[in-house]
Amino acid sequence: MKQEFSAPIFIHSMFRTGSTWLFDRFRRAQDQNYWCYQEPFHEMLIHLKDQPELVLDIHGDISTSLRHPALDKPYFYECYAIREHISDSFQKCISFDSFFDPAVCPAFDEYTAKLIRHAPGRPVLQCCRSYGRLAHLKQQYGGVHIYLWRNPWDQWWSYQINDYFDTASIAITNAHNPPQVVALLREELGFPQVREASFSDEYKQLLQIPVSAQNRYLVFYTLWLYSLIENRSLADCEINVDSLSNDSAALTKTKKRLEELNVTDIDLSSCNIPQFYFGDEDKKFFTAAEQRAHKLFASAGYAIDVLHDAIQLQHMSQPVVRRRYPEIGQGGERARAAALRFANGKAEAQLARAHAERVAVELQHAHEQAEGLLRTEVEETRSQLDKTVADAQTRERALREDSERNLAIIRGEAQRDMEQLSAEHQAVRQVLLEREREYAAQLADQQAKSQKVLEDAQQTHERREARLVGEIQAAHAQSQAREIALREDEQARMDLLRENSRLEVSRLQAEQQVLLERERQLAELLAQNQSVQDELNQAHGAREAELQQEIATVRQMLDHARAEAQARETDLHARSEAYIAQVRADAATHIQIFEGRVAHLHAQESALRAEMAQHAAYAQALLARIGAMQSTWWWRLSMLWRRPSLWSAVSCPAPLLGEFHARIGEFAHTGTVPPQNVQAACVSADSGEHLNLAPLEQKGLAMPIQNITELFSLDGPAFITEAYRNLLQREPDLNGMAYYLGRLSMGYGKARVIVQLAKSAECRPHEQIHGLKRLIQEHNNASHWLWGWFGRHTRMHMALQSSVTALARIEQRMEGVHHAINTQNQQMETLARQHAESLRDIKSLVQQTMGDRAAKNEQPRLPIETVRQVFREILGREPENDDVIHHHAKQGTSEALRESLLDSEEFRVRLEALPEHARMILMRQMQAQRAHQGV
């Protein structure tokens, strides 16, 4: 079973406040078995799950560079030792995202609880990332909380040892749901919101934010003042390392306070925090930024006195060297001025770099646009080229088809011409042949007539035949020449077409070659930018995915918020209805209870009056018996034998008895017994003095008596208690109290009880209590048959006094009953007033949820729910139908509708049905409400 240790110890501080030195002091306290975690919320611990050995590398050289004390073990040794318990719980959101709101990271509480639960010793958590959630840690885990702080000027200059601490401060301002003052700080400095999956990526982006030295100190001082104001009142122990270094009294006080908190064996004597002298220029630098921070706190709603107290504490806690030795550190002042100039130059360089990056992004965007346009132009050119090539091919096919068609036409025409010439030649030959046959026939016929004619005809024929053959040859040659000319013309036209096609194709090929060359150049340019484009595409894809994820998250949040708003509206309406019903039910229940109580009180009053009448009748009977006995002769004869102590009572019985008779008659007639009359009528049997029947605070009050007759002013348990105290000198036991209370209830007198107690062996000597012996003697004489007969007058007188006293007590009880009735009436009035106020508040809430009238110039109409509410409030029911609702909605205001319903016959009938006291209370309440409303 695991050993249980004391409550955990939390050390809350900012960076560079000596927290590592204090952590080392706890780690060296071996006798106390402290288990010390150094910065358990450090982002480096994310490697515990995958590469746990990396957390052990932060040691040695890093400690020296940070000017930390020499540690015997690595910083995160304790976290490494229990890594199997906590490695799965540590998430990125623990360090900075949930810095001000732990609800942002559900793993925060789980991880912290495991640190405490699995610590082999008393857990000590030294945290530089917890001062924004100290209240949550204290409420969730209890324990001892130590707040460590330092003067801001030295602390900020200690930040400048590297870039991490100022960047970590910017990361703190980048947390989710920051307080108002941090949100105003981000708005004033214009910090962008950075959200990455890993802190290393966030750190790289935050490191690139250009921040001047003045703004760096503004960020630090705002967080420093916020931590001081919010955490000093919550911490159990406050440690200022400057005072601890300079003041031995502060050291002693801090040790004593830690021992009071059960934090022992911590050696703080080695505290020696560096402190520097700051000159006028340093003060101007710090003061300007601090004044800006003070304005932010005032704008965030911090009270002026709270800011004044924090600033006063800051000035009072300045180190001694800053106040007493101004001649020290002039070289340091110059070095700091140079460092500030370097920091400002670095910020300007980062700003210029950011500007250049923005310009590069813009140029890249312009390049992408130009590239897109060029791609579009190339695609258009390609499409035009393809269209041109297609057109050229179409034109070439058309030309070829035209050429072939023309050639076919020419060939057809030539063939027709040749055929026509052949036909003509054949026709001519046929004609010639016919003529030749004719001539032959004529020649044959005329051969005999004339040889000379034949020869002439033969010559003519030969000449004519030669001429005809020449003509035929000329026609044939002309036909061949025409065919050749047609062929040459066709060939020329074909050559021209081929040349034009060749030239067109050459031109197109040249244009295509130019386009291909340009495309090749574009391809080379695209190839050169392909890697950059791929990187940009990857970055843009990742960013687009992240934006889409954020948009989906925001949409889910909006849907969830819309659903929650609708649910809240529905729940508000349901709760309003339920609350109205509950108020009515509670009012009805309270009215029934109060009516029952009032009826019970009236019944009790009637019973008391009846009891008082019985006592008055009994007293009248006693008075009659006493008067009859005093008027007899034997009363006067027996007077000499009476004790001298009774003569005074016997000598003047008539006036006393007459007064008793008159007042008892009055009591019997009126049924009331005024306490002052009873006190005036009650006379002591021994001395004749008036008895004091004022009510006593009997419970627990010792009443030492001088005369036994003083006990007769008490009743019940108080009488038994004081009898025991004065006679037996002790408190009554339970059996004795029950026994004597029973005797009193049976009708035994108080004198008999006193005599019975006086006979006890425990009783004090009778001489010590004046009147006790006489009371015992009178009781014994009354018990004797002779003296008892003569003592009837005294006994009746005493019985009469007891009756009057009982009447007085009854009157007091009746006054208590009247007071209770008045109290109940006041409670009923208060309840009725609260009921009316609740109804009025509910009416206001319903009116707010229903909204105002649509337009001021329209005729005012009451909402339907208001009409229903007023009906339920005045008449205790819903309206009959929608027509009744619309009719009464024309009243315009709920006050007018309420007045109309109050004047209705139904309300008067309902009012008359109420009991008288409830009706009076309701009428008073309504009158008060009308007066309040000015009706």
Side-chain angles (χ1 to χ4, degrees):
M1 183 176 178
K2 184 180 176 180
Q3 182 181 359
E4 296 294 335
F5 298 98
S6 301
I9 301 172
F10 291 87
I11 303 174
H12 307 278
S13 68
M14 299 179 69
F15 303 110
R16 313 300 294 171
T17 57
S19 57
T20 305
W21 166 80
L22 186 58
F23 159 78
D24 183 58
R25 297 294 91 194
F26 274 91
R27 186 186 267 185
R28 291 179 183 273
Q30 301 293 334
D31 296 338
Q32 297 300 322
N33 195 22
Y34 293 121
W35 185 259
C36 306
Y37 297 106
Q38 167 73 351
E39 298 197 27
F41 305 138
H42 198 290
E43 62 274 8
M44 186 68 181
L45 296 177
I46 196 71
H47 299 295
L48 281 176
K49 184 175 182 180
D50 300 326
Q51 297 174 300
E53 290 76 13
L54 290 178
V55 302
L56 298 179
D57 294 342
I58 304 180
H59 191 49
D61 296 339
I62 296 178
S63 177
T64 302
S65 64
L66 294 176
R67 299 197 296 270
H68 285 169
L71 302 178
D72 54 351
K73 288 182 290 188
Y75 284 90
F76 304 119
Y77 171 79
E78 287 79 4
C79 293
Y80 178 82
I82 64 168
R83 62 188 181 278
E84 66 274 7
H85 301 294
I86 65 174
S87 59
D88 293 335
S89 299
F90 193 93
Q91 297 181 9
K92 180 251 182 186
C93 59
I94 290 178
S95 300
F96 294 103
D97 291 346
S98 61
F99 195 91
F100 298 105
D101 185 6
V104 171
C105 184
F108 177 78
D109 286 331
E110 176 187 355
Y111 171 72
T112 307
K114 287 183 178 180
L115 289 176
I116 297 173
R117 182 168 62 251
H118 295 289
R122 185 178 184 184
V124 178
L125 288 78
Q126 186 275 308
C127 311
C128 294
R129 296 163 178 81
S130 64
Y131 62 86
R133 40 196 167 183
L134 189 153
H136 173 80
L137 290 172
K138 186 172 184 179
Q139 180 181 4
Q140 194 76 10
Y141 306 104
V144 177
H145 294 262
I146 301 173
Y147 178 60
L148 185 68
W149 65 288
R150 181 186 181 187
N151 74 86
W153 295 2
D154 289 326
Q155 183 179 348
W156 182 75
W157 271 111
S158 183
Y159 269 40
Q160 308 313 308
I161 193 172
N162 56 34
D163 292 332
Y164 174 80
F165 298 107
D166 280 330
T167 308
S169 298
I170 299 175
I172 292 173
T173 65
N174 189 53
H176 293 269
N177 302 330
Q180 182 66 21
V181 64
V182 178
L184 292 175
L185 173 66
R186 288 181 53 83
E187 182 179 352
E188 179 172 344
L189 297 181
F191 284 167
Q193 190 178 51
V194 180
R195 297 284 181 263
E196 296 293 340
S198 65
F199 180 75
S200 59
D201 296 335
E202 278 191 10
Y203 181 80
K204 291 177 182 178
Q205 294 194 32
L206 295 173
L207 189 62
Q208 299 304 319
I209 297 177
V211 187
S212 64
Q214 186 83 8
N215 290 336
R216 286 176 183 266
Y217 180 72
L218 175 62
V219 173
F220 160 78
Y221 181 75
T222 302
L223 296 177
W224 182 89
L225 189 57
Y226 170 81
S227 174
L228 184 71
I229 293 175
E230 297 294 337
N231 294 327
R232 284 187 71 242
S233 59
L234 297 174
D236 300 305
C237 178
E238 173 190 354
I239 299 178
N240 180 272
V241 291
D242 296 314
S243 301
L244 206 64
S245 300
N246 302 329
D247 191 358
S248 59
L251 178 62
T252 303
K253 181 179 178 182
T254 302
K255 286 184 177 179
K256 182 178 179 181
R257 178 55 182 161
L258 291 176
E259 290 175 355
E260 291 175 354
L261 298 173
N262 194 22
V263 180
T264 56
D265 199 21
I266 305 300
D267 183 14
L268 303 177
S269 59
S270 61
C271 182
N272 186 19
I273 199 75
Q275 299 169 354
F276 304 98
Y277 169 76
F278 294 97
D280 294 336
E281 294 299 324
D282 295 319
K283 294 178 182 178
K284 291 180 181 179
F285 170 79
F286 289 126
T287 304
E290 288 174 1
Q291 289 177 353
R292 293 171 62 191
H294 297 161
K295 293 180 180 178
L296 291 177
F297 277 89
S299 300
Y302 281 81
I304 300 300
D305 54 347
V306 173
L307 284 175
H308 180 268
D309 294 342
I311 297 169
Q312 191 68 22
L313 179 64
Q314 172 188 351
H315 291 282
M316 293 175 59
S317 303
Q318 288 183 354
V320 177
V321 66
R322 192 173 299 166
R323 296 195 297 265
R324 298 183 180 176
Y325 307 106
E327 68 278 2
I328 301 176
Q330 295 180 355
E333 183 179 2
R334 290 191 294 271
R336 285 190 295 273
L340 290 177
R341 289 193 297 272
F342 173 76
N344 291 328
K346 182 179 178 180
E348 292 176 357
Q350 287 180 337
L351 186 62
R353 179 180 178 181
H355 178 70
E357 290 178 351
R358 286 196 300 272
V359 172
V361 170
E362 293 176 356
L363 290 175
Q364 179 66 24
H365 182 65
H367 172 69
E368 291 175 356
Q369 290 181 345
E371 183 178 353
L373 294 175
L374 186 58
R375 286 181 178 178
T376 304
E377 183 179 356
V378 168
E379 293 296 332
E380 292 178 354
T381 304
R382 284 180 178 176
S383 62
Q384 291 178 358
L385 178 60
D386 294 338
K387 184 176 180 181
T388 303
V389 171
D391 292 341
Q393 292 176 353
T394 303
R395 290 173 62 186
E396 183 178 2
R397 284 194 300 271
L399 287 175
R400 286 178 181 177
E401 291 175 355
D402 291 341
S403 299
E404 292 177 355
R405 189 167 50 254
N406 294 330
L407 181 61
I409 293 171
I410 293 171
R411 285 178 180 177
E413 292 178 352
Q415 185 68 25
R416 285 193 300 271
D417 292 339
M418 291 180 69
E419 290 178 353
Q420 185 177 3
L421 290 175
S422 297
E424 291 176 355
H425 178 68
Q426 290 294 335
V428 170
R429 287 183 66 182
Q430 188 68 25
V431 171
L432 291 176
L433 288 175
E434 289 179 354
R435 288 177 178 179
E436 186 178 1
R437 282 192 302 269
E438 289 176 355
Y439 291 151
Q442 291 175 3
L443 287 177
D445 291 334
Q446 294 177 7
Q447 190 174 9
K449 295 175 177 182
S450 177
Q451 185 66 24
K452 189 176 177 178
V453 174
L454 178 63
E455 288 176 357
D456 294 333
Q458 183 68 30
Q459 290 177 355
T460 305
H461 174 69
E462 288 178 355
R463 289 194 298 272
R464 190 173 180 177
E465 183 179 6
R467 183 177 57 79
L468 291 175
V469 169
E471 290 179 359
I472 291 171
Q473 291 179 352
H476 183 70
Q478 184 180 1
S479 154
Q480 289 180 348
R482 186 176 178 182
E483 182 178 1
I484 291 171
L486 289 175
R487 289 180 179 178
E488 290 178 354
D489 185 30
E490 181 182 1
Q491 186 66 32
R493 290 175 64 184
M494 290 292 297
D495 292 340
L496 179 61
L497 289 174
R498 288 192 183 96
E499 183 66 20
N500 292 334
S501 299
R502 186 183 63 78
L503 293 175
E504 184 69 19
V505 170
S506 299
R507 185 180 65 79
L508 293 176
Q509 288 178 351
E511 292 180 357
Q512 186 177 6
Q513 187 67 26
V514 172
L515 292 175
L516 290 175
E517 181 65 21
R518 189 173 180 182
E519 183 177 0
R520 185 184 63 78
Q521 294 177 357
L522 290 176
E524 292 178 356
L525 181 61
L526 291 175
Q528 292 176 0
N529 296 331
Q530 188 62 36
S531 60
V532 177
Q533 183 66 31
D534 293 338
E535 293 179 357
L536 292 175
N537 290 335
Q538 292 177 359
H540 291 165
R543 183 60 178 170
E544 182 178 2
E546 182 182 359
L547 291 176
Q548 290 178 353
Q549 183 66 27
E550 291 183 0
I551 291 172
T553 303
V554 170
R555 287 178 178 173
Q556 292 177 358
M557 292 174 63
L558 289 175
D559 294 339
H560 183 65
R562 190 179 296 109
E564 285 185 351
Q566 293 177 355
R568 282 197 300 270
E569 183 177 358
T570 304
D571 182 61
L572 177 62
H573 183 70
R575 281 189 297 168
S576 300
E577 294 294 335
Y579 182 69
I580 293 170
Q582 184 65 32
V583 168
R584 289 201 184 94
D586 291 344
T589 303
H590 282 87
I591 290 173
Q592 292 178 359
I593 292 173
F594 289 146
E595 288 177 354
R597 290 179 178 176
V598 171
H600 175 70
L601 292 174
H602 281 300
Q604 186 177 2
E605 182 181 7
S606 300
L608 291 174
R609 290 182 184 275
E611 185 180 355
M612 184 176 64
Q614 291 177 2
H615 280 281
Y618 179 64
Q620 286 182 346
L622 287 178
L623 287 173
R625 291 181 60 186
I626 292 172
M629 185 172 55
Q630 289 179 351
S631 64
T632 57
W633 61 270
W634 50 265
W635 173 265
R636 294 180 178 85
L637 291 177
S638 62
M639 188 176 297
L640 297 176
W641 287 275
R642 300 181 188 278
R643 291 176 298 173
S645 61
L646 296 177
W647 290 352
S648 60
V650 175
S651 61
C652 57
L656 179 61
L657 294 178
E659 185 179 359
F660 281 160
H661 181 77
R663 292 180 179 172
I664 288 174
E666 181 183 354
F667 300 157
H669 177 71
T670 60
T672 57
V673 184
Q676 62 272 19
N677 295 337
V678 175
Q679 293 179 5
C682 294
V683 181
S684 174
D686 295 329
S687 60
E689 296 178 354
H690 294 285
L691 295 177
N692 184 13
L693 299 179
L696 299 174
E697 295 292 335
Q698 299 171 2
K699 186 175 180 180
L701 176 62
M703 191 180 81
I705 62 175
Q706 301 297 327
N707 194 298
I708 195 63
T709 57
E710 298 178 14
L711 291 177
F712 287 87
S713 63
L714 304 177
D715 295 310
F719 168 73
I720 302 299
T721 301
E722 294 303 329
Y724 263 82
R725 289 174 178 173
N726 288 281
L727 297 178
L728 305 185
Q729 294 184 338
R730 67 179 176 86
E731 295 294 326
D733 56 284
L734 295 178
N735 293 332
M737 175 66 74
Y739 172 74
Y740 287 112
L741 286 177
R743 302 276 290 178
L744 292 174
S745 299
M746 292 172 62
Y748 289 93
K750 297 178 183 177
R752 192 165 183 176
V753 173
I754 293 173
V755 171
Q756 191 172 352
L757 287 173
K759 292 180 180 180
S760 173
E762 299 181 37
C763 184
R764 293 165 56 190
H766 297 172
E767 293 80 5
Q768 295 183 4
I769 303 175
H770 182 67
L772 181 58
K773 292 180 66 177
R774 180 179 174 184
L775 180 62
I776 295 172
Q777 183 66 34
E778 290 178 355
H779 180 269
N780 293 334
N781 290 339
S783 300
H784 194 271
W785 66 271
L786 179 61
W787 293 106
W789 188 82
F790 285 105
R792 287 184 298 168
H793 174 271
T794 303
R795 290 195 299 275
M796 290 182 181
H797 190 273
M798 295 176 63
L800 182 60
Q801 289 181 351
S802 299
S803 298
V804 175
T805 305
L807 290 173
R809 288 198 298 271
I810 291 172
E811 178 64 24
Q812 292 178 355
R813 291 173 61 189
M814 289 182 65
E815 288 184 354
V817 169
H818 285 294
H819 178 70
I821 291 174
N822 294 331
T823 303
Q824 294 293 337
N825 289 334
Q826 292 177 0
Q827 291 179 358
M828 289 184 67
E829 291 179 358
T830 303
L831 180 62
R833 188 182 307 109
Q834 292 176 355
H835 176 62
E837 292 176 355
S838 300
L839 291 177
R840 187 162 53 251
D841 294 340
I842 293 170
K843 181 191 68 177
S844 300
L845 178 61
V846 171
Q847 288 178 353
Q848 289 179 3
T849 55
M850 293 299 294
D852 297 327
R853 297 185 180 92
K856 295 182 179 179
N857 55 356
E858 295 181 356
Q859 182 180 359
R861 293 179 62 88
L862 286 175
I864 296 177
E865 188 59 29
T866 303
V867 177
R868 295 179 181 273
Q869 178 69 25
V870 176
F871 262 78
R872 290 192 293 265
E873 176 184 349
I874 303 301
L875 302 181
R877 65 173 178 83
E878 294 287 338
E880 293 86 351
N881 49 46
D882 293 338
D883 294 335
V884 175
I885 295 176
H886 292 304
H887 172 71
H888 286 86
K890 296 178 182 179
Q891 297 288 340
T893 62
S894 57
E895 290 79 12
L897 176 59
R898 187 175 287 103
E899 289 294 327
S900 176
L901 295 179
L902 289 175
D903 295 333
S904 64
E905 183 66 21
E906 182 180 351
F907 178 77
R908 286 196 292 271
V909 173
R910 184 187 178 196
L911 188 63
E912 291 174 359
L914 293 175
E916 182 178 359
H917 59 277
R919 184 166 59 251
M920 294 176 62
I921 292 172
L922 181 60
M923 294 301 295
R924 285 198 297 268
Q925 181 63 32
M926 291 174 56
Q927 290 175 0
Q929 184 176 0
R930 290 186 178 185
H932 178 71
Q933 295 176 354
V935 179

